[in-house]
Amino acid sequence: MSRALSLDTVFTQQPGLLANTVDGETILLRLSPPVYFGLAGPAHHIWQLLAEPSTGHAICSRLEALYDVDPETCRAEVARFLALLAGENLLTVVSGAAA
């Protein structure tokens, strides 16, 4: 995750994306420029949590309750995934850090 984005950054889903959930998987489609993502497992849960503004730390807290994952691994993987989504312009940064 870049220096500007951290687990304290507040993110939400980018408006205007086409998203549908099928059999526990979220399908994301952005038309311009075209991007398609299939999100399953923890990625699906992260996307659901991003329906409302949320920090990476809040997402990790929820995932640690759902999955058998240690906090350090969760933080690293969530940071990597949020950076991927942000890099694909699938997230909106609400604020640089939680208030």
Side-chain angles (χ1 to χ4, degrees):
M1 192 169 283
S2 74
R3 290 186 330 144
L5 303 178
S6 74
L7 292 178
D8 293 320
T9 302
V10 179
F11 299 95
T12 194
Q13 297 172 356
Q14 180 76 347
L17 297 173
L18 301 174
N20 197 12
T21 300
V22 178
D23 294 330
E25 181 177 358
T26 299
I27 308 300
L28 297 177
L29 178 65
R30 184 184 65 220
L31 299 177
S32 182
V35 171
Y36 169 88
F37 272 85
L39 308 175
H44 166 76
H45 285 112
I46 291 169
W47 186 254
Q48 289 180 319
L49 293 169
L50 289 166
E52 297 292 327
S54 185
T55 66
H57 287 299
I59 290 168
C60 284
S61 293
R62 295 291 304 273
L63 293 179
E64 289 165 22
L66 292 171
Y67 297 96
D68 183 22
V69 60
D70 68 272
E72 185 176 316
T73 299
C74 188
R75 286 189 301 268
E77 292 299 314
V78 166
R80 183 189 63 77
F81 185 65
L82 291 174
L84 171 71
L85 293 176
E88 292 292 340
N89 200 28
L90 299 174
L91 295 180
T92 296
V93 175
V94 177
S95 69

